[in-house]
Every structure is written in C-alpha cells, then in structure tokens.
Amino acid sequence: LLAALGVFGVASFLLAARNAGLARDAEGSRAAIAAESAKLVRSLYVSRIGHAQASLASGDVGRARRLLDECPPEFRGWEWWYLHDQTDQSVASYFVPGDNAGFVAPSPDGGYLIVASLLGEVLRYDLDQPTNAPPRWRFETPVWLHGAAVSEDSTRVALLNNQGRVWVLDADTGREQTSFTVPGSTLPGRTLAARRLSFVPGARQVCVVGAAGQALFFDADTGELARAFPVHESEVVGLGISGDGSLMATTSNDNLVRVWETSTGNLLAQLGPLPTTTTALDLSHDGSRVAVGQMLGAVTLWDWTTGVQTVDAPGAQRPIASIAFSPDGARVAAVGREGVLRVWDATTGAQFS
C-alpha cells in the first residue's frame, strides 16, 4: 500500500510539473502574440502617419484628417500633433458648447458669428474681438436645435428646435423678442416636423419648412402665421431665399428642386430629379442659381432660368450637411458629414485646394 501511495505521489508530482510547464508555455505564447499584435498596431500607426503626411503634401487635407483620426490615442506622439495642426486651415476658432456643433450663422454685415450646439446652447461671438474672448451673450433652448438664421439687417437671430419651437432674439443683447410653435410640428410619430428656417428679406417674416411639405411664413414681430403654401409632397430638407426675398428654392426627399415666387407661391421652375437623395440647398443672392448637396457628397448647380446644369461636382461619398453661395455668387462652399469643407468655383466647378 505504501509503495502504491509512493508511486501515485510521484506520478502526481510529475503531472503537476508537466501542467506547470504547459501553463508557462501557454503564457509565453500569449505574451508573444500580444507583443506581435502590439507591433502590428504600431506598424499600422506608422503607416497611417506616413499616408497622412503624403495626403497633406498632395493637398488632400480631408483624407489626412481621417487617417489621423484613425490613429489610436495611446500612440499619438509629437509627429501626430504636428500633422494634426497642419490639417487645421482655419483662420480662427471658437468654442462650441458640449462639442456638439449644430449650426453656424454669420451675420450679413460680417460683424459677428452665431454658434449653436445641437443640444440647444447658442452663443454670439463678435469677430472684431480676440478668438479667446468670451461670447457677447449666451441663450439656451430646450431640446435639440434644427436651425439658426440671421436677418438681412443683422439685428435679429432666429432659432428652431426639433419640437417646432421658434425663437426670435435681439442680436445685440440675446434677449427673446418673440417665440411661437410651428403648426403641425407635433405630428404623430414625427420628431423632425420642422426642419429649416430663414428670414425673408424685406418682409420682416420668418419662413419655416419641414415634414408637412409646406412653406409657412410667420410675422417676425408677433409670431403670427401670415400665410402658407405647399411646396413638396414629402419632407422638405432644404430652403434658400434670394437676397431681395422675391424668390425661394426648396428641395425634399423626392429629390426634386423647385423655385417659387415668394409673395404668391407660384411655381417658377422644377429641376431634377437628382440621382441620389438631396440633403441641402442654397439660392444665390441674385436668385439666378441653385446649389444642391446630395447624400453621396455630390454638389450640383443649376441656372434655373434656363434649366441648364452648370456644375456637377463629385463628392466624398458622405452626405452634404450644409451648402452656401458666397455673397457675390462666385463660389460655393459645402461641408460634409465627415467634417471637411470644400469650395468650388460656381462657374467652372473647379475645386479650390
């Protein structure tokens, strides 16, 4: 019996030693795999840095920024920060509350900038002040914002949230002058009933469009509904008004673009349909051309008076979030959901670097 116990004890000892050896081998294998994985991740980081540098050298700032954003934070050294600074082509930067930039609305007189976060906080920055100066005023709205606009004389600011509430503020003080709710903004199952708004130059009115397919015009002083007319059979996603307020253009989920006489609601032209979903629109200051952004990033320009498509610029395969003509109509700027701003010659379609 003692001999049997001795043999069993020796066998158990050998088995335990063998298992310990296997465990050490397994741990060594895991460590080797982890080390190899870390090397691969590091190599990928170096590769992205190299490609980002090459993209910057070729003028493709958007691709460089995307490559840098894909780099793991724990690997980002001085070289990452150096290239990251090179991708920032802005001449000034301003704080956005909560890192949720929703809308930026410059005043027509060039004196200030309205910055609105998606979460409802609105700031006014005076452009003649240092960029690190505090905002002139701050205004908060409940729930999410869907639009911000400045009147043609730069004295008022209008805000629209996702519950169809509109505020008209004094641009100097940020104090509320009037507020009202867009009829139909609480349609069952629709949280995006009111989508876009704009002041109507010369009329002291605010125009709101959205899910109901109508353009609604409100008195900017009292908030009373002045008039309305249908513009599309589906949700309106883009609105542009000419500099004198006589013309307006709209686009919707039907991928059509329509141009209207603002005072009467008469349809003047219909363009399209475009091959992909439209997401943004602007009308030139003189009212002669329409710029449309699409879901796949393309930008299309029309001379609506002739129906001729003057520019069809391919995009970055990301939806266009906002599009605008320069005041003189010479250029068109559009920003995509990837966060890259692109500028085109409005006549030739050539993209500026």
Side-chain angles (χ1 to χ4, degrees):
L1 180 60
L2 290 174
L5 289 174
V7 170
F8 178 76
V10 171
S12 297
F13 174 78
L14 293 175
L15 182 60
R18 177 176 177 274
N19 288 339
L22 291 173
R24 285 193 298 274
D25 292 343
E27 186 63 32
S29 296
R30 281 195 293 269
I33 292 172
E36 190 64 28
S37 176
K39 285 173 60 178
L40 290 173
V41 173
R42 180 71 186 181
S43 297
L44 183 57
Y45 167 77
V46 172
S47 174
R48 283 174 174 152
I49 290 293
H51 284 294
Q53 187 174 19
S55 296
L56 272 175
S58 66
D60 192 347
V61 179
R63 182 169 184 270
R65 192 62 178 262
R66 290 193 296 274
L67 287 164
L68 292 172
D69 288 344
E70 292 171 357
C71 292
E74 62 270 21
F75 286 107
R76 296 175 182 178
W78 67 267
E79 68 288 338
W80 186 91
W81 289 105
Y82 173 78
L83 293 176
H84 184 269
D85 288 345
Q86 298 301 304
T87 64
D88 185 356
Q89 298 179 315
S90 61
V91 296
S93 59
Y94 295 89
F95 170 73
V96 177
D99 294 327
N100 284 287
F103 302 91
V104 175
S107 64
D109 64 7
Y112 63 87
L113 195 67
I114 298 298
V115 178
S117 79
L118 289 175
L119 299 181
E121 192 168 359
V122 184
L123 310 175
R124 167 179 164 159
Y125 288 105
D126 290 337
L127 298 181
D128 60 357
Q129 298 296 311
T131 58
N132 60 352
R136 181 164 178 172
W137 50 256
R138 184 187 305 262
F139 183 85
E140 293 189 14
T141 71
V143 204
W144 287 57
L145 278 176
H146 277 172
V150 180
S151 62
E152 74 275 14
D153 60 3
S154 301
T155 62
R156 296 183 176 193
V157 175
L159 308 171
L160 169 69
N161 78 354
N162 72 336
Q163 293 183 342
R165 191 70 179 171
V166 176
W167 291 264
V168 179
L169 313 179
D170 182 286
D172 285 333
T173 64
R175 292 193 181 96
E176 179 182 324
Q177 293 184 333
T178 188
S179 64
F180 54 90
T181 299
V182 179
S185 57
T186 56
L187 294 174
R190 302 303 296 268
T191 59
L192 302 176
R195 288 292 300 268
R196 297 287 186 269
L197 87 165
S198 176
F199 282 96
V200 182
R204 297 187 70 82
Q205 292 181 339
V206 176
C207 178
V208 180
V209 296
Q214 289 196 329
L216 299 96
F217 297 82
F218 298 88
D219 187 299
D221 296 318
T222 64
E224 294 182 0
L225 180 62
R227 58 199 174 87
F229 58 83
V231 289
H232 289 273
E233 292 71 40
S234 58
E235 186 170 35
V236 184
V237 298
L239 169 68
I241 298 180
S242 63
D244 63 3
S246 64
L247 301 171
M248 62 180 283
T250 58
T251 187
S252 81
N253 292 336
D254 56 18
N255 301 342
L256 294 172
V257 175
R258 290 173 177 166
V259 180
W260 308 86
E261 187 174 46
T262 309
S263 60
T264 64
N266 289 336
L267 178 62
L268 302 178
Q270 177 170 293
L271 309 168
L274 287 161
T276 62
T277 303
T278 56
T279 56
L281 174 145
D282 193 30
L283 185 64
S284 62
H285 190 268
D286 66 2
S288 65
R289 287 173 297 168
V290 180
V292 184
Q294 300 174 54
M295 182 64 71
L296 296 182
V299 168
T300 303
L301 271 67
W302 268 293
D303 180 333
W304 71 265
T305 62
T306 63
V308 174
Q309 189 177 105
T310 57
V311 173
D312 188 16
Q317 303 301 307
R318 300 293 298 275
I320 296 295
S322 182
I323 191 168
F325 280 99
S326 61
D328 61 3
R331 298 185 181 189
V332 171
V335 63
R337 294 295 181 189
E338 79 281 8
V340 176
L341 176 71
R342 294 176 174 83
V343 181
W344 291 268
D345 184 297
T347 301
T348 66
Q351 183 174 325
F352 292 92
S353 61

PDB file of all heavy atoms in Angstrom, residues 44-66:
ATOM      1  N   LEU A  44       0.854  49.817 -38.075  1.00  0.00           N
ATOM      2  CA  LEU A  44      -0.299  50.440 -38.721  1.00  0.00           C
ATOM      3  C   LEU A  44      -0.327  51.933 -38.411  1.00  0.00           C
ATOM      4  O   LEU A  44      -0.646  52.755 -39.280  1.00  0.00           O
ATOM      5  CB  LEU A  44      -1.585  49.764 -38.246  1.00  0.00           C
ATOM      6  CG  LEU A  44      -2.898  50.257 -38.883  1.00  0.00           C
ATOM      7  CD1 LEU A  44      -2.846  50.108 -40.391  1.00  0.00           C
ATOM      8  CD2 LEU A  44      -4.084  49.505 -38.300  1.00  0.00           C
ATOM      9  N   TYR A  45       0.013  52.282 -37.164  1.00  0.00           N
ATOM     10  CA  TYR A  45       0.073  53.700 -36.794  1.00  0.00           C
ATOM     11  C   TYR A  45       1.110  54.440 -37.634  1.00  0.00           C
ATOM     12  O   TYR A  45       0.829  55.506 -38.184  1.00  0.00           O
ATOM     13  CB  TYR A  45       0.418  53.823 -35.308  1.00  0.00           C
ATOM     14  CG  TYR A  45       0.806  55.229 -34.887  1.00  0.00           C
ATOM     15  CD1 TYR A  45      -0.159  56.206 -34.696  1.00  0.00           C
ATOM     16  CD2 TYR A  45       2.146  55.576 -34.693  1.00  0.00           C
ATOM     17  CE1 TYR A  45       0.191  57.497 -34.322  1.00  0.00           C
ATOM     18  CE2 TYR A  45       2.504  56.858 -34.317  1.00  0.00           C
ATOM     19  CZ  TYR A  45       1.523  57.816 -34.129  1.00  0.00           C
ATOM     20  OH  TYR A  45       1.881  59.092 -33.770  1.00  0.00           O
ATOM     21  N   VAL A  46       2.287  53.859 -37.763  1.00  0.00           N
ATOM     22  CA  VAL A  46       3.352  54.477 -38.552  1.00  0.00           C
ATOM     23  C   VAL A  46       2.919  54.627 -40.007  1.00  0.00           C
ATOM     24  O   VAL A  46       3.170  55.641 -40.660  1.00  0.00           O
ATOM     25  CB  VAL A  46       4.655  53.660 -38.447  1.00  0.00           C
ATOM     26  CG1 VAL A  46       5.707  54.182 -39.414  1.00  0.00           C
ATOM     27  CG2 VAL A  46       5.188  53.696 -37.021  1.00  0.00           C
ATOM     28  N   SER A  47       2.219  53.585 -40.521  1.00  0.00           N
ATOM     29  CA  SER A  47       1.737  53.632 -41.898  1.00  0.00           C
ATOM     30  C   SER A  47       0.728  54.762 -42.084  1.00  0.00           C
ATOM     31  O   SER A  47       0.781  55.505 -43.069  1.00  0.00           O
ATOM     32  CB  SER A  47       1.103  52.294 -42.274  1.00  0.00           C
ATOM     33  OG  SER A  47       0.512  52.346 -43.550  1.00  0.00           O
ATOM     34  N   ARG A  48      -0.189  54.915 -41.129  1.00  0.00           N
ATOM     35  CA  ARG A  48      -1.192  55.977 -41.229  1.00  0.00           C
ATOM     36  C   ARG A  48      -0.533  57.352 -41.161  1.00  0.00           C
ATOM     37  O   ARG A  48      -0.937  58.275 -41.875  1.00  0.00           O
ATOM     38  CB  ARG A  48      -2.224  55.822 -40.118  1.00  0.00           C
ATOM     39  CG  ARG A  48      -3.230  54.705 -40.394  1.00  0.00           C
ATOM     40  CD  ARG A  48      -4.145  54.487 -39.215  1.00  0.00           C
ATOM     41  NE  ARG A  48      -5.195  53.521 -39.526  1.00  0.00           N
ATOM     42  CZ  ARG A  48      -5.786  52.752 -38.622  1.00  0.00           C
ATOM     43  NH1 ARG A  48      -5.418  52.819 -37.353  1.00  0.00           N
ATOM     44  NH2 ARG A  48      -6.741  51.899 -38.984  1.00  0.00           N
ATOM     45  N   ILE A  49       0.466  57.485 -40.309  1.00  0.00           N
ATOM     46  CA  ILE A  49       1.186  58.754 -40.224  1.00  0.00           C
ATOM     47  C   ILE A  49       1.837  59.080 -41.569  1.00  0.00           C
ATOM     48  O   ILE A  49       1.774  60.210 -42.069  1.00  0.00           O
ATOM     49  CB  ILE A  49       2.247  58.713 -39.106  1.00  0.00           C
ATOM     50  CG1 ILE A  49       1.569  58.703 -37.736  1.00  0.00           C
ATOM     51  CG2 ILE A  49       3.216  59.891 -39.217  1.00  0.00           C
ATOM     52  CD1 ILE A  49       0.838  59.981 -37.388  1.00  0.00           C
ATOM     53  N   GLY A  50       2.460  58.067 -42.173  1.00  0.00           N
ATOM     54  CA  GLY A  50       3.101  58.271 -43.473  1.00  0.00           C
ATOM     55  C   GLY A  50       2.115  58.648 -44.550  1.00  0.00           C
ATOM     56  O   GLY A  50       2.358  59.569 -45.351  1.00  0.00           O
ATOM     57  N   HIS A  51       0.975  57.940 -44.591  1.00  0.00           N
ATOM     58  CA  HIS A  51      -0.047  58.249 -45.599  1.00  0.00           C
ATOM     59  C   HIS A  51      -0.673  59.622 -45.351  1.00  0.00           C
ATOM     60  O   HIS A  51      -1.007  60.341 -46.300  1.00  0.00           O
ATOM     61  CB  HIS A  51      -1.128  57.172 -45.598  1.00  0.00           C
ATOM     62  CG  HIS A  51      -0.704  55.898 -46.266  1.00  0.00           C
ATOM     63  ND1 HIS A  51      -0.429  55.821 -47.615  1.00  0.00           N
ATOM     64  CD2 HIS A  51      -0.511  54.650 -45.778  1.00  0.00           C
ATOM     65  CE1 HIS A  51      -0.090  54.581 -47.929  1.00  0.00           C
ATOM     66  NE2 HIS A  51      -0.126  53.851 -46.826  1.00  0.00           N
ATOM     67  N   ALA A  52      -0.848  60.002 -44.071  1.00  0.00           N
ATOM     68  CA  ALA A  52      -1.391  61.315 -43.754  1.00  0.00           C
ATOM     69  C   ALA A  52      -0.442  62.417 -44.226  1.00  0.00           C
ATOM     70  O   ALA A  52      -0.873  63.431 -44.786  1.00  0.00           O
ATOM     71  CB  ALA A  52      -1.632  61.440 -42.254  1.00  0.00           C
ATOM     72  N   GLN A  53       0.850  62.201 -44.035  1.00  0.00           N
ATOM     73  CA  GLN A  53       1.841  63.180 -44.496  1.00  0.00           C
ATOM     74  C   GLN A  53       1.809  63.310 -46.018  1.00  0.00           C
ATOM     75  O   GLN A  53       1.868  64.416 -46.560  1.00  0.00           O
ATOM     76  CB  GLN A  53       3.235  62.768 -44.023  1.00  0.00           C
ATOM     77  CG  GLN A  53       4.314  63.796 -44.309  1.00  0.00           C
ATOM     78  CD  GLN A  53       5.641  63.413 -43.688  1.00  0.00           C
ATOM     79  OE1 GLN A  53       5.876  62.256 -43.351  1.00  0.00           O
ATOM     80  NE2 GLN A  53       6.528  64.388 -43.525  1.00  0.00           N
ATOM     81  N   ALA A  54       1.689  62.160 -46.706  1.00  0.00           N
ATOM     82  CA  ALA A  54       1.619  62.186 -48.168  1.00  0.00           C
ATOM     83  C   ALA A  54       0.340  62.883 -48.643  1.00  0.00           C
ATOM     84  O   ALA A  54       0.356  63.630 -49.626  1.00  0.00           O
ATOM     85  CB  ALA A  54       1.694  60.762 -48.711  1.00  0.00           C
ATOM     86  N   SER A  55      -0.765  62.652 -47.944  1.00  0.00           N
ATOM     87  CA  SER A  55      -2.030  63.297 -48.312  1.00  0.00           C
ATOM     88  C   SER A  55      -1.947  64.805 -48.139  1.00  0.00           C
ATOM     89  O   SER A  55      -2.444  65.571 -48.979  1.00  0.00           O
ATOM     90  CB  SER A  55      -3.173  62.740 -47.459  1.00  0.00           C
ATOM     91  OG  SER A  55      -3.369  61.361 -47.711  1.00  0.00           O
ATOM     92  N   LEU A  56      -1.301  65.245 -47.075  1.00  0.00           N
ATOM     93  CA  LEU A  56      -1.118  66.678 -46.875  1.00  0.00           C
ATOM     94  C   LEU A  56      -0.271  67.284 -47.985  1.00  0.00           C
ATOM     95  O   LEU A  56      -0.563  68.363 -48.501  1.00  0.00           O
ATOM     96  CB  LEU A  56      -0.453  66.938 -45.522  1.00  0.00           C
ATOM     97  CG  LEU A  56      -1.376  67.083 -44.316  1.00  0.00           C
ATOM     98  CD1 LEU A  56      -0.560  67.216 -43.039  1.00  0.00           C
ATOM     99  CD2 LEU A  56      -2.293  68.276 -44.482  1.00  0.00           C
ATOM    100  N   ALA A  57       0.775  66.562 -48.369  1.00  0.00           N
ATOM    101  CA  ALA A  57       1.663  67.062 -49.419  1.00  0.00           C
ATOM    102  C   ALA A  57       0.932  67.202 -50.751  1.00  0.00           C
ATOM    103  O   ALA A  57       1.245  68.082 -51.557  1.00  0.00           O
ATOM    104  CB  ALA A  57       2.869  66.134 -49.568  1.00  0.00           C
ATOM    105  N   SER A  58      -0.071  66.334 -50.973  1.00  0.00           N
ATOM    106  CA  SER A  58      -0.819  66.388 -52.236  1.00  0.00           C
ATOM    107  C   SER A  58      -2.032  67.304 -52.158  1.00  0.00           C
ATOM    108  O   SER A  58      -2.778  67.445 -53.121  1.00  0.00           O
ATOM    109  CB  SER A  58      -1.266  64.977 -52.641  1.00  0.00           C
ATOM    110  OG  SER A  58      -2.209  64.462 -51.711  1.00  0.00           O
ATOM    111  N   GLY A  59      -2.272  67.890 -50.977  1.00  0.00           N
ATOM    112  CA  GLY A  59      -3.384  68.818 -50.822  1.00  0.00           C
ATOM    113  C   GLY A  59      -4.692  68.185 -50.400  1.00  0.00           C
ATOM    114  O   GLY A  59      -5.710  68.873 -50.312  1.00  0.00           O
ATOM    115  N   ASP A  60      -4.695  66.876 -50.121  1.00  0.00           N
ATOM    116  CA  ASP A  60      -5.927  66.195 -49.701  1.00  0.00           C
ATOM    117  C   ASP A  60      -6.027  66.247 -48.178  1.00  0.00           C
ATOM    118  O   ASP A  60      -5.744  65.275 -47.472  1.00  0.00           O
ATOM    119  CB  ASP A  60      -5.915  64.749 -50.201  1.00  0.00           C
ATOM    120  CG  ASP A  60      -7.274  64.072 -50.064  1.00  0.00           C
ATOM    121  OD1 ASP A  60      -8.145  64.637 -49.372  1.00  0.00           O
ATOM    122  OD2 ASP A  60      -7.474  62.992 -50.654  1.00  0.00           O
ATOM    123  N   VAL A  61      -6.444  67.398 -47.675  1.00  0.00           N
ATOM    124  CA  VAL A  61      -6.486  67.608 -46.228  1.00  0.00           C
ATOM    125  C   VAL A  61      -7.536  66.709 -45.566  1.00  0.00           C
ATOM    126  O   VAL A  61      -7.326  66.209 -44.462  1.00  0.00           O
ATOM    127  CB  VAL A  61      -6.776  69.087 -45.913  1.00  0.00           C
ATOM    128  CG1 VAL A  61      -6.859  69.320 -44.407  1.00  0.00           C
ATOM    129  CG2 VAL A  61      -5.700  69.971 -46.519  1.00  0.00           C
ATOM    130  N   GLY A  62      -8.652  66.487 -46.246  1.00  0.00           N
ATOM    131  CA  GLY A  62      -9.709  65.660 -45.682  1.00  0.00           C
ATOM    132  C   GLY A  62      -9.240  64.244 -45.404  1.00  0.00           C
ATOM    133  O   GLY A  62      -9.503  63.685 -44.336  1.00  0.00           O
ATOM    134  N   ARG A  63      -8.526  63.641 -46.365  1.00  0.00           N
ATOM    135  CA  ARG A  63      -8.030  62.266 -46.174  1.00  0.00           C
ATOM    136  C   ARG A  63      -6.988  62.235 -45.062  1.00  0.00           C
ATOM    137  O   ARG A  63      -6.949  61.301 -44.250  1.00  0.00           O
ATOM    138  CB  ARG A  63      -7.435  61.725 -47.471  1.00  0.00           C
ATOM    139  CG  ARG A  63      -6.953  60.283 -47.366  1.00  0.00           C
ATOM    140  CD  ARG A  63      -6.616  59.695 -48.723  1.00  0.00           C
ATOM    141  NE  ARG A  63      -6.257  58.295 -48.620  1.00  0.00           N
ATOM    142  CZ  ARG A  63      -5.007  57.852 -48.435  1.00  0.00           C
ATOM    143  NH1 ARG A  63      -4.001  58.718 -48.333  1.00  0.00           N
ATOM    144  NH2 ARG A  63      -4.754  56.560 -48.351  1.00  0.00           N
ATOM    145  N   ALA A  64      -6.138  63.268 -45.010  1.00  0.00           N
ATOM    146  CA  ALA A  64      -5.124  63.324 -43.953  1.00  0.00           C
ATOM    147  C   ALA A  64      -5.787  63.357 -42.582  1.00  0.00           C
ATOM    148  O   ALA A  64      -5.356  62.658 -41.651  1.00  0.00           O
ATOM    149  CB  ALA A  64      -4.231  64.541 -44.152  1.00  0.00           C
ATOM    150  N   ARG A  65      -6.837  64.142 -42.451  1.00  0.00           N
ATOM    151  CA  ARG A  65      -7.531  64.246 -41.164  1.00  0.00           C
ATOM    152  C   ARG A  65      -8.183  62.918 -40.784  1.00  0.00           C
ATOM    153  O   ARG A  65      -8.141  62.504 -39.613  1.00  0.00           O
ATOM    154  CB  ARG A  65      -8.567  65.357 -41.245  1.00  0.00           C
ATOM    155  CG  ARG A  65      -9.165  65.766 -39.894  1.00  0.00           C
ATOM    156  CD  ARG A  65      -8.081  66.299 -38.984  1.00  0.00           C
ATOM    157  NE  ARG A  65      -8.620  66.731 -37.718  1.00  0.00           N
ATOM    158  CZ  ARG A  65      -8.896  67.999 -37.434  1.00  0.00           C
ATOM    159  NH1 ARG A  65      -8.675  68.948 -38.325  1.00  0.00           N
ATOM    160  NH2 ARG A  65      -9.357  68.321 -36.245  1.00  0.00           N
ATOM    161  N   ARG A  66      -8.771  62.225 -41.763  1.00  0.00           N
ATOM    162  CA  ARG A  66      -9.405  60.929 -41.470  1.00  0.00           C
ATOM    163  C   ARG A  66      -8.367  59.911 -41.008  1.00  0.00           C
ATOM    164  O   ARG A  66      -8.607  59.138 -40.069  1.00  0.00           O
ATOM    165  CB  ARG A  66     -10.153  60.418 -42.704  1.00  0.00           C
ATOM    166  CG  ARG A  66     -11.401  61.219 -43.053  1.00  0.00           C
ATOM    167  CD  ARG A  66     -12.264  60.496 -44.068  1.00  0.00           C
ATOM    168  NE  ARG A  66     -11.595  60.326 -45.343  1.00  0.00           N
ATOM    169  CZ  ARG A  66     -11.588  61.216 -46.312  1.00  0.00           C
ATOM    170  NH1 ARG A  66     -12.195  62.382 -46.139  1.00  0.00           N
ATOM    171  NH2 ARG A  66     -10.982  60.985 -47.456  1.00  0.00           N
TER     172      ARG A  66
END
